[in-house]
Amino acid sequence: MIKVEGLTKRYARTVAVDNISFEVEKGQIVGFLGPNGAGKTTTMRVLTCFLPPSSGTANVAGFDVLENPMEVKKRIGYLPETPPLYPEMEVDEYLHFVGKLKGIPSGEIRRRVDEVTGRCAIGDVRKKLIGKLSKGYRQRVGLAQAIIHNPDVLILDEPTSGLDPKQIIEIREMLKSLAGEHTIILSTHILSEVEHSCERVIIISQGKLVAIDSVTNLTNRLRGSEAVAVEVEPADGHPSPVEVQQRLEQVSGVSRVVMKDSKNGRINFEVESLQGRSVRADLARSVVQSGWNLSELRAVGLSLEDIFLQLTAAEQKEETKQKEEVKVEEGVKQ
Amino acid sequence: MKNVLLICRKELNSYFASPIAYLLMAFFGLIFGFGFYTATRDMVRFSFMAQMQGQMQPQNVNDAIIKPLLGFASTVALFLIPMITMRTFAEEKRTGTIELLMTSPVRDIDIILGKWLGAMLLYLCVLAMSMINIAMLFAWGKPDLKPVLVAYLGLILQGGCLLAIGTFISTTTRNQIVAGGVTFFVCLLLWLLSWFTAFDSSATGSVVNYLSIVTHFENFSKGVIDSKDAVFYLSMIFFCLFLTHRAFESLRWRA
């Protein structure tokens, strides 16, 4: 449905998006993830024909954004970061206007407006001025505006920013109900967002593509080793934390043992295993055989947060390394 | 064409949803009414005095009232037009609604024409305020209708021209105040050009004089449609809307 190849966007001095390629299939929800200023909005603006790419191509529903912008625009619903609303209009009036702008035949507009107001739960504010609406309602009117012409592709730039938790859940539910018939790309810098609503993630950082995969794959792939939380409950001050740590380190397959904290008389450890080794059974056995009380043992999955930080940090580290190397070289030259 | 009218209607609605349309109409009506009052009073006084001295030549209403008044209106319009056009694109750029327009399946030229036409219609509404006074003259006097119509045509053409300039300036900034200020300055300059060159018969002088928007109104105000003036206004409108189109396109490239 969406095909981006070698997309680069340069502004006067900076490169906002640097040679990004990806594909999105029909009916998928894809999360576009990256820290602020990573180039998410720029990529979306290229896809919506708001900005032309400096080089590379972007294809939406088989139409190129440069050669056939009209056809692309007809098939895209776009919610920018700040919803594009006219404060002096009533919600109904606004949706009618956008409907006509998107080329819905006038006989159908009323029906479409009824449908999206129902879907976005803004039926009770239809006669209100947009300028008087709360942030949550504005966001929903913005979403209604994006789906009014039933587009094949929905592009949402941070659809949940600035909303309260209840509203965020509502928007998420709405997105889920929209998936399937629409292909959705949503950008966010909130990771739980992606974990909740997306099937696939595209992570970009400083304009470069860092990773593109399904959420589960990404977690698996990056979970290089298994992490296990172990909690031991000593009796009468025995054993001491150091003793336990030493014992755990002796278990085969364990690469690292970190003592987290000890409170309420319990000692918590996080044990990391070597790649591909499952150590949970061995850990339990060694604790029990030593005659200590094992009060908890559970696998700790890496959250998307960790993965994201790992990925973007790795990227940055490499870059600073390169810069340092350049500096050293320059120093040598001097 | 459908899209042009759609944008035009939206523009007009937003003008009338804010106080700006009413303020401009009230302001223009007041100033024009004041001008009308003084012009009529003076004419009545003069013809009264002429009668007292035994001269039986009543002044022509067209020459004594309507012509100077509509000339006055064209000057007042110079000051009102920046207030009409300053928000057209600057406001959309500031609030981000320009993204909606530019990502909708609408041609750029439709957006520009729609906005210009909307501004034009508001300008017509403002001009219509002057008809209240002119109508009075027709009710109680017998002025010639044709020169009045020609003068209004001139006002509309001149207004269209200045509105196109203002629309162009509004695309170049996201700050309404800047858009309004620069448009006002340009309007003023175009007005003053005719002053600077009034007695200058050199080649540059006549070129500069030709560029002044006000000089082309003179013939219209006399009730004469000179194709030279009409062509000047129409080509100026075309040129400014063309510039607007270019500037609008460049928004995408410069972002």
Side-chain angles (χ1 to χ4, degrees):
Chain A
M1 205 62 183
I2 298 170
K3 196 173 173 192
V4 173
E5 261 173 55
L7 179 73
T8 302
K9 176 71 193 170
R10 272 178 229 102
Y11 293 122
R13 283 181 197 82
T14 49
V15 180
V17 175
D18 193 1
N19 198 12
I20 282 186
S21 304
F22 63 86
E23 261 178 73
V24 179
E25 263 145 53
K26 194 174 186 314
Q28 272 187 332
I29 305 191
V30 174
F32 219 50
L33 201 60
N36 291 324
K40 299 182 299 256
T41 301
T42 304
T43 312
M44 292 188 147
R45 284 181 163 175
V46 171
L47 285 177
T48 54
C49 308
F50 183 67
L51 293 178
S54 305
S55 65
T57 57
N59 224 297
V60 178
F63 296 99
D64 190 90
V65 291
L66 275 183
E67 280 158 23
N68 252 326
M70 276 299 172
E71 296 301 318
V72 174
K73 286 174 184 176
K74 274 183 204 162
R75 289 166 176 77
I76 267 188
Y78 177 39
L79 173 62
E81 209 168 341
T82 40
L85 307 174
Y86 295 102
E88 73 274 5
M89 282 192 189
E90 284 172 8
V91 173
D92 241 12
E93 190 189 350
Y94 172 73
L95 290 177
H96 272 93
F97 169 69
V98 178
K100 283 183 199 156
L101 203 62
K102 302 282 181 188
I104 302 176
S106 46
E108 264 179 65
I109 287 194
R110 184 172 294 276
R111 197 178 52 80
R112 287 299 307 162
V113 171
D114 286 345
E115 196 181 322
V116 293
T117 43
R119 194 152 204 177
C120 300
I122 46 175
D124 46 338
V125 294
R126 285 177 68 163
K127 290 285 164 218
K128 272 198 179 169
L129 282 179
I130 291 176
K132 305 241 186 256
L133 294 183
S134 68
K135 172 104 181 147
Y137 270 115
R138 281 183 203 203
Q139 196 74 24
R140 276 186 269 175
V141 175
L143 201 59
Q145 163 274 127
I147 61 175
I148 191 156
H149 54 307
N150 213 352
D152 296 339
V153 178
L154 256 182
I155 295 189
L156 311 170
D157 200 349
E158 311 211 349
T160 55
S161 71
L163 298 183
D164 67 33
K166 188 169 161 277
Q167 293 166 333
I168 290 181
I169 292 168
E170 282 169 7
I171 295 258
R172 259 180 215 157
E173 291 301 312
M174 208 186 300
L175 288 181
K176 273 187 189 151
S177 76
L178 287 171
E181 41 178 323
H182 306 268
T183 309
I184 304 178
I185 296 191
L186 64 95
S187 83
T188 176
H189 55 264
I190 304 158
L191 295 134
S192 58
E193 193 65 47
V194 174
E195 270 175 317
H196 280 279
S197 36
C198 301
E199 295 154 20
R200 265 154 56 90
V201 202
I202 297 171
I203 299 180
I204 62 173
S205 170
Q206 296 178 333
K208 292 199 179 75
L209 195 75
V210 180
I212 169 164
D213 216 332
S214 70
V215 176
T216 39
N217 270 353
L218 208 57
T219 343
N220 285 340
R221 199 180 91 197
L222 278 140
R223 194 196 285 158
S225 49
E226 192 184 28
V228 184
V230 181
E231 193 177 84
V232 175
E233 197 175 345
D236 307 326
H238 181 80
S240 71
V242 186
E243 244 178 297
V244 183
Q245 183 158 4
Q246 280 168 353
R247 183 74 195 83
L248 290 178
E249 276 166 353
Q250 283 162 13
V251 175
S252 78
V254 168
S255 64
R256 202 162 69 108
V257 178
V258 183
M259 196 177 81
K260 298 296 252 190
D261 57 348
S262 55
K263 57 185 175 199
N264 305 333
R266 289 174 185 157
I267 320 163
N268 289 287
F269 298 92
E270 196 170 295
V271 181
E272 281 174 27
S273 68
L274 295 169
Q275 186 125 23
R277 295 283 292 266
S278 182
V279 291
R280 268 180 286 174
D282 292 336
L283 283 173
R285 201 170 301 123
S286 80
V287 172
V288 174
Q289 277 174 356
S290 307
W292 303 328
N293 300 326
L294 178 66
S295 54
E296 196 183 347
L297 183 80
R298 90 191 127 82
V300 189
L302 279 173
S303 72
L304 207 52
E305 241 98 359
D306 303 319
I307 296 168
F308 178 68
L309 286 176
Q310 273 186 16
L311 279 171
T312 50
E315 185 88 352
Q316 276 165 6
K317 245 186 233 161
E318 217 152 81
E319 209 143 278
T320 42
K321 217 175 166 186
Q322 281 172 356
K323 272 182 198 159
E324 273 164 16
E325 277 168 11
V326 171
K327 268 184 200 163
V328 171
E329 274 171 25
E330 278 171 3
V332 170
K333 272 179 200 161
Q334 280 169 4
Chain B
M1 197 58 205
K2 208 182 78 197
N3 289 329
V4 175
L5 292 179
L6 176 68
I7 306 259
C8 169
R9 230 179 71 197
K10 179 232 128 204
E11 282 298 296
L12 214 54
N13 278 347
S14 68
Y15 279 128
F16 280 95
S18 71
I20 185 92
Y22 304 100
L23 272 177
L24 287 175
M25 284 164 70
F27 182 61
F28 183 77
L30 199 71
I31 292 193
F32 191 85
F34 183 70
F36 175 78
Y37 166 72
T38 32
T40 325
R41 187 195 59 192
D42 290 351
M43 186 197 160
V44 170
R45 211 176 265 169
F46 276 128
S47 45
F48 194 66
M49 269 159 55
Q51 265 181 345
M52 291 287 281
Q53 290 161 0
Q55 296 165 350
M56 290 303 289
Q57 277 185 335
Q59 270 179 296
N60 183 329
V61 179
N62 278 87
D63 284 342
I65 303 181
I66 298 179
K67 195 186 148 214
L69 259 187
L70 292 182
F72 174 61
S74 84
T75 315
V76 176
L78 288 178
F79 294 86
L80 300 182
I81 275 162
M83 287 189 247
I84 297 180
T85 57
M86 64 183 195
R87 52 174 291 290
T88 45
F89 282 102
E91 175 79 356
E92 304 245 13
K93 281 170 83 174
R94 192 181 59 79
T95 58
T97 44
I98 194 92
E99 265 186 271
L100 171 66
L101 296 181
M102 288 173 85
T103 57
S104 293
V106 185
R107 287 179 307 161
D108 292 355
I109 191 74
D110 290 347
I111 300 172
I112 292 160
L113 282 179
K115 292 222 163 229
W116 177 75
L117 211 61
M120 211 46 201
L121 288 179
L122 174 63
Y123 175 68
L124 289 185
C125 292
V126 171
L127 270 190
M129 298 305 286
S130 67
M131 286 182 195
I132 301 171
N133 301 99
I134 302 291
M136 285 183 199
L137 291 179
F138 279 94
W140 283 290
K142 280 199 192 64
D144 210 353
L145 180 63
K146 273 183 200 151
V148 178
L149 291 182
V150 172
Y152 269 109
L153 177 69
L155 276 176
I156 291 169
L157 283 173
Q158 187 199 311
C161 202
L162 294 170
L163 287 170
I165 294 173
T167 310
F168 164 60
I169 291 167
S170 188
T171 42
T172 58
T173 174
R174 53 170 49 215
N175 187 328
Q176 282 193 50
I177 307 293
V178 172
V182 174
T183 309
F184 177 69
F185 178 75
V186 172
C187 288
L188 203 64
L189 200 70
L190 287 172
W191 182 45
L192 292 178
L193 281 183
S194 66
W195 285 26
F196 295 150
T197 56
F199 302 105
D200 189 347
S201 54
S202 67
T204 29
S206 51
V207 169
V208 171
N209 196 42
Y210 178 76
L211 286 177
S212 169
I213 279 187
V214 193
T215 50
H216 295 276
F217 180 68
E218 268 162 30
N219 281 332
F220 282 103
S221 74
K222 286 178 200 150
V224 179
I225 305 182
D226 190 335
S227 55
K228 187 185 74 184
D229 300 322
V231 166
F232 171 81
Y233 280 137
L234 291 176
S235 53
M236 193 77 173
I237 290 173
F238 180 80
F239 177 64
C240 288
L241 290 180
F242 170 76
L243 282 185
T244 313
H245 188 234
R246 293 274 102 164
F248 193 78
E249 240 176 19
S250 81
L251 291 183
R252 295 181 194 274
W253 296 98
R254 287 183 301 147

